[in-house]
Amino acid sequence: MSTHSAGAAAVDVVDGGSSPAGSAVGRALDSIGFNRAHKLILIMVLLGAFFDVMEENSLGAVGPALKNVWHISTPELAFLQTVTISAMIIGKVVTGAIGDLKGRRFALAFNLFVYCAGALVCALAPNYAVLAVGRFVVGVGLGGELAAGMTLLSELVPTRFRGAVVASLNVGAGGFGNVVSFGFAAVVLGPLGNFFGGPDSSWRWMFGLLVLPAVLVLFYRRYLPETPRYLASRGRIEEANQVLTRLASGRLKGRDLPTVPYLTQPATQEGKAEKVRLGEVFRGELLRRTAALAVVSWMTFGAQITVLVLMPTILVNQGYSITESLTFTMVMNVGSLLGAAAATYAAMHWPRRLVMTGGAVAACLAALAFGFLAGTPALVLVLGGTFQFFVLLLNSTVFAWAPELYPTRVRAFGTSMIAVQGNVAGAFVPIGAGLLLDHAGVVAVFVLTAAMYGVMAVAVRFAPETHGRPLEDINVEASSPAAA
């Protein structure tokens, strides 16, 4: 890990960071290396992703309790998740546009504020209708969190570490987040249930307590810098140099540091910002990339969200208590943590398409094995953990892949469009899967899940390989709005 010297030579910015030869910003970041400042930024983004997943999983965790207290059906429970994920679609679209128009850092702060407001509404909801409204508000806030974090990290780290760092976002989200969320629910609804008022109100504390850590993240994010790639694309070269100087120092408070002129700009380009045309992601070469990753995202996130929402209910239907089902789900999600960690390693060492194809085939087989063989507690835990391993391996690799496919000026919006597809699937597949569970049983749900991963294995072949390539080289075919 290297640190750029204070006397580094300046390099010209020609087009805000989209040069076919590799951007000046990219070269500066590669020369700075991966240091303490990058690690602090990663921790802050990871915290946001962690609480994002805690909140997203909270509905599945309290699902059995809600069914008992309010006497709602499985499809009605799934509808609440549909409301949440439908709102996440809106949140992702809005955040993607905000990220490209106002900045990555602003988008993250926006999401967190909306999410906190929605969580309070859920905690205080007097009936099903108000809870649905609260889940909608939460969904808007949650929507762009991960996509904005993926975009920010992909633009802040050197090429060598980019894939691993972005994929590691899911260690905090799908890894620790999935494990801790169901463990947290098991404690709040189980041993501490009476302390929090019993079954009628303990689920409210589940929602309410998740607001507190988010406030801490809001404080930490005061130190998040805007990405130099974004600043350069907007013609804000001095600010980009200030961020690069702070990164090179290894500190995030380096406002008193003398600014090193890593980037200079020809007089003819001074102050010129790239025009943001969000529709580019649906035209030409970018359309092909968007379509391929959209199918991938639809399949893998749709399958994952369905299983997360329905797993506690599936286990209760098989005769386990609510506490046992939540505990089993928590243990299964240890596989999620291991899968996210494996994806971090794979993102640095192996091609994206190889990981995605092999992982999709393995997830297909794991889903079938769970559906047909998980008849004892031991098999439930082993097969469920294996399935979650491959799910998070795939989802984390999508995290690393998506922001690499777009030029800087539309990277946030393009990444959000990929993430949106997963939310669209997650909004509708759980309803169908819930009906399938009630009428055809567990096996049918996991056969559907396996089929989705089979489709995904084909779709990954249509996206370009990006492993080890600078962002600007990947996007040379879309290096200018005119070309797009």
Side-chain angles (χ1 to χ4, degrees), residues 36 56 63 67 98 100 134 155 163 174 176-177 257 284 332 342 391 393 438 443 446 463 481:
R36 180 176 176 273
E56 191 172 345
K67 291 181 69 175
I98 289 175
D100 284 327
E155 293 183 349
F176 282 111
L257 295 173
M332 279 185 239
V391 167
L393 172 69
D438 286 348
V443 172
F446 281 92

Side-chain angles (χ1 to χ4, degrees), residues 145-441:
E145 178 77 24
L146 290 177
M150 288 151 51
T151 302
L152 184 140
L153 290 175
S154 71
E155 293 183 349
L156 272 174
V157 299
T159 301
R160 179 186 171 192
F161 299 96
R162 184 184 66 234
V165 168
V166 178
S168 71
L169 185 59
N170 224 13
V171 174
F176 282 111
N178 282 339
V179 173
V180 175
S181 59
F182 288 101
F184 178 68
V187 171
V188 172
L189 301 177
L192 295 181
N194 290 333
F195 176 78
F196 288 120
D200 289 340
S201 61
S202 58
W203 63 268
R204 297 182 184 278
W205 284 94
M206 266 288 300
F207 290 126
L209 290 173
L210 290 176
V211 176
L212 301 178
V215 175
L216 296 177
V217 177
L218 186 61
F219 171 79
Y220 293 145
R221 281 187 176 163
R222 294 192 313 164
Y223 303 104
L224 271 179
E226 185 55 83
T227 75
R229 275 190 168 98
Y230 174 80
L231 293 171
S233 75
R234 308 305 295 160
R236 295 154 62 181
I237 303 306
E238 179 62 24
E239 293 176 67
N241 280 328
Q242 291 171 359
V243 173
L244 288 168
T245 300
R246 288 166 61 190
L247 291 175
S249 73
R251 295 184 290 162
L252 296 181
K253 289 185 179 181
R255 294 175 181 169
D256 56 339
L257 295 173
T259 301
V260 177
Y262 289 91
L263 315 177
T264 60
Q265 193 171 43
T268 57
Q269 296 286 328
E270 187 173 357
K272 183 177 180 181
E274 287 188 280
K275 186 170 290 187
V276 176
R277 297 183 175 92
L278 301 178
E280 287 181 44
V281 303
F282 304 117
R283 295 197 298 269
E285 172 62 22
L286 293 186
L287 172 60
R288 176 186 175 92
R289 300 178 184 187
T290 300
L293 263 290
V295 173
V296 170
S297 183
W298 177 286
M299 297 304 159
T300 187
F301 286 101
Q304 181 205 20
I305 292 169
T306 296
V307 173
L308 281 175
V309 171
L310 296 182
M311 184 60 76
T313 301
I314 287 172
L315 295 176
V316 169
N317 289 348
Q318 291 180 338
Y320 300 103
S321 70
I322 292 177
T323 300
E324 286 174 332
S325 69
L326 291 173
T327 302
F328 282 12
T329 305
M330 178 191 71
V331 174
M332 279 185 239
N333 278 299
V334 172
S336 300
L337 176 59
L338 298 176
T344 301
Y345 177 87
M348 182 175 286
H349 296 93
W350 298 333
R352 309 281 187 256
R353 289 195 295 191
L354 174 64
V355 174
M356 295 295 286
T357 303
V361 172
C364 179
L365 296 175
L368 292 173
F370 188 95
F372 284 99
L373 302 177
T376 67
L379 286 174
V380 165
L381 294 176
V382 172
L383 295 177
T386 301
F387 175 75
Q388 292 293 349
F389 174 89
F390 290 111
V391 167
L392 266 293
L393 172 69
L394 294 169
N395 291 1
S396 301
T397 304
V398 172
F399 280 14
W401 205 359
E404 297 174 335
L405 299 179
Y406 298 96
T408 301
R409 65 184 174 275
V410 291
R411 182 166 291 123
F413 188 71
T415 302
S416 293
M417 289 301 97
I418 299 301
V420 158
Q421 305 311 311
N423 286 144
V424 172
F428 295 104
V429 176
I431 294 179
L435 294 171
L436 202 59
L437 176 63
D438 286 348
H439 292 90

Side-chain angles (χ1 to χ4, degrees), residues 436-463:
L436 202 59
L437 176 63
D438 286 348
H439 292 90
V442 174
V443 172
V445 172
F446 281 92
V447 168
L448 171 65
T449 301
M452 293 174 72
Y453 282 112
V455 173
M456 188 189 119
V458 176
V460 298
R461 310 309 301 173
F462 293 91

